[in-house]
Amino acid sequence: MNQNEIAARIAQERYAVSRVMCGLERRGLVDRGPDSRACAWSIFLKQPAIELLRRASELIEIAAARVESTQLPSQMIQDVDSGDEAGEVLGFANDRD
């Protein structure tokens, strides 16, 4: 996949995707190289990025399972509205002046 395809897929400007890819390349998460099909850089995930994505996916699945098993959406909203810690962290807690 090249940077232009990524930009189109996530509905972002090409320059923004280019800046992000530069940062990911500096961190050793992607390699970039010329794309023979287009005037863009091809993007190749490196092993650390694949491992990071795999772990993030696992954590998302765990979090989703916990949410589904412990609280209904209406309970989550009530908790946030009542000013619980998660709501405060996320900036959703009501002001109580």
Side-chain angles (χ1 to χ4, degrees):
M1 180 170 275
N2 68 44
Q3 288 183 182
N4 290 343
E5 293 166 335
I6 293 170
R9 189 172 213 177
I10 64 171
Q12 293 293 316
E13 297 291 330
R14 292 183 325 179
Y15 75 89
V17 171
S18 178
R19 289 184 58 197
V20 169
M21 291 303 157
C22 285
L24 293 174
E25 186 177 37
R26 280 193 306 273
R27 289 173 179 83
L29 297 173
V30 299
D31 276 331
R32 299 186 310 155
D35 186 338
S36 60
R37 301 173 291 133
C39 212
W41 288 101
S42 290
I43 304 299
F44 307 96
L45 290 179
K46 294 177 83 173
Q47 193 60 38
I50 293 168
E51 292 168 13
L52 181 65
L53 290 170
R54 185 176 296 124
R55 183 66 181 138
S57 179
E58 291 169 1
L59 292 172
I60 289 167
E61 290 297 322
I62 290 168
R66 286 182 182 169
V67 167
E68 289 175 8
S69 69
T70 61
Q71 289 186 319
L72 298 173
S74 60
Q75 291 171 313
M76 293 171 60
I77 292 168
Q78 187 177 24
D79 289 346
V80 168
D81 285 342
S82 68
D84 72 347
E85 183 180 342
E88 291 175 23
V89 169
L90 295 172
F92 295 135
N94 295 330
D95 291 334
R96 293 181 171 69
D97 293 340

